[in-house]
Amino acid sequence: MAASSLLRSLTRRGCAGPGAFAYRHQQQQPWSPFSTTAAAAAAGTRDEAAKGFPGLGPTAKGEKARVVVLGTGWAGSRLMKDLDTKGYDVVCVAPRNHMVFTPLLASTCVGTLEFRSVAEPVVRIQPAVSKSPGSYFLLARCTGVDPDGHTIDCETVTDGEKDSLEPWKFKVAYDKLVFACGAEASTFGIHGVTDHAIFLREVHHAQEIRRRLLLNLMLSDVPGISEEEKRRLLHCVVVGGGPTGVEFSGELSDFIIRDVKQRYSHVKDYIHVTLIEANEILSSFDVRLRQYATNQLIKSGVRLVKGIVKDVQPNKIILDNGEEVPYGLLVWSTGVGASPFVKSLPFPKSPGGRIGVNEWLRVPSVQDVYAIGDCSGFLESTGKEVLPALAQVAERQGKYLASLLSHIMKAGGGHANSETEADLGRPFVYKHLGSMATVGRYKALVDLRQSKESRGISLAGFVSWFIWRSAYLTRVVSWRNRFYVAINWLTTLLFGRDISRI
């Protein structure tokens, strides 16, 4: 029932069903993934529809070329925002219909910001997906790609539905395909991480952290809870000393000092935070800033532990030295790596398993395929290092590729297999603008060096915190969300954080 409803919806919006595929076939050259004759096309598409494979057919001559973007992260969102929709139709395929402003995600876990403040809907980033006849947003995952046929296989996302729906499968033909599907959290194959730890990469992760934290606070107040169990419930462990782990630890310690000790006075002496890192926290920052962050975290009550997690169990983790660390909340923030989907793609890979690209962010082994963001990396043959998985890298790659695709379209290469050997212009060059991180208590770090070895401005303290907030407020995508963020900050300052468990 749901599948047929979706098919009717796709057909109404131009996503061809069997009849439409047959009609398109009569109007243009055959589409090889289905058939080579009009009769075979009609029969073939009937079979495909029976198997759950309708979809968006190839663009016809005289129509706008279609750019298919896989993902709504920093790279994909910036690409869609800047893409020239007068020359291209854009189809976004992604399992979420919004972009997450990740630098402020940690603030939502403790109620400093509301969740909607860091989520930007795709239709606001690129209005064409809801207004233009040939542009769409499809809530789905890409499951496979046929570079020769210029098609991708997709299936709908129904996760979280009370009455779970069967995924609906379909195809999308593309003229240009852009992989911007990001990466996944690295677990290093450690047992129990995916079952018991919470990552901090999506809004639903922040929601789960907030619910778990507030639940443990309330449970610890229940009569009959032992001292040992109370300490375990209120022990928050963060694994990973990068910017995300440090910022979350700082926000959490600030939440404990300013809110928990006032509103949960019965358990204020039991709650504490432990940050576990194998090496040094904030290893990419200047050494002086690292030391400042260490001192501030310790002053805020965060316990810093140098060690490697060997095993994660339901109520405790085991370190390499045999120490057992009980926890009530475990947040895992140890960096990212290539996803199984990216690893399975039939393209050359860069070091680390990412999709290999050349200096123009193209996948050189196939026509009309590009990759940007955390899922991509320069091939060794380019002589360039793989860029770090940072928001500013992804955003700038999206901006560059939008400009490149506009140049290709104006040169007459917008449609599939029509790119010429014309000059593509300057290759992509990344220039690091610096790094920032907050450590709580109105303190932050600003490191404006272009690399570890270079010299530059490094600031710490309240001024840095003001710069951090100002910079990110201006980087929030829409004026609507900037207003939300500013109001949330003001509300928190005047009335404290919201501790409702919703």
Side-chain angles (χ1 to χ4, degrees), residues 210-229:
R210 186 166 170 178
R211 283 195 296 266
R212 181 79 59 85
L213 176 62
L214 294 174
L215 175 64
N216 289 352
L217 278 168
M218 289 181 282
L219 288 178
S220 63
D221 232 358
V222 174
I225 296 289
S226 66
E227 294 282 310
E228 182 182 2
E229 179 65 6

Side-chain angles (χ1 to χ4, degrees), residues 243-370:
T244 301
V246 168
E247 289 190 335
F248 176 69
S249 299
E251 285 278 359
L252 193 54
S253 64
D254 202 41
F255 172 63
I256 292 169
I257 293 170
R258 298 180 180 277
D259 297 272
V260 171
K261 291 191 175 182
Q262 292 181 11
R263 307 180 192 186
Y264 291 92
S265 57
H266 298 109
V267 298
K268 64 182 181 180
D269 297 327
Y270 294 90
I271 186 167
H272 57 287
V273 182
T274 297
L275 175 60
I276 300 174
E277 169 56 42
N279 299 301
E280 295 183 354
I281 66 169
L282 300 175
S283 58
S284 63
F285 282 69
D286 178 76
V287 63
R288 185 178 63 85
L289 297 183
R290 292 202 301 267
Q291 188 58 52
Y292 179 87
T294 299
N295 295 339
Q296 284 297 315
L297 289 173
I298 294 174
K299 192 182 296 185
S300 300
V302 178
R303 176 184 171 224
L304 300 180
V305 174
K306 194 170 185 178
I308 299 174
V309 177
K310 288 298 184 182
D311 188 33
V312 177
Q313 297 179 11
N315 296 322
K316 66 182 179 181
I317 60 175
I318 300 174
L319 303 182
D320 54 344
N321 61 3
E323 180 184 356
E324 295 184 356
V325 182
Y327 67 85
L329 172 67
L330 177 60
V331 176
W332 194 269
S333 176
T334 57
V336 297
S339 66
F341 170 67
V342 168
K343 292 178 180 177
S344 71
L345 294 171
F347 305 131
K349 301 297 192 297
S350 69
R354 301 183 186 184
I355 301 170
V357 295
N358 62 16
E359 296 93 330
W360 291 271
L361 307 180
R362 300 170 69 180
V363 179
S365 58
V366 292
Q367 280 281 330
D368 303 316
V369 177
Y370 303 81

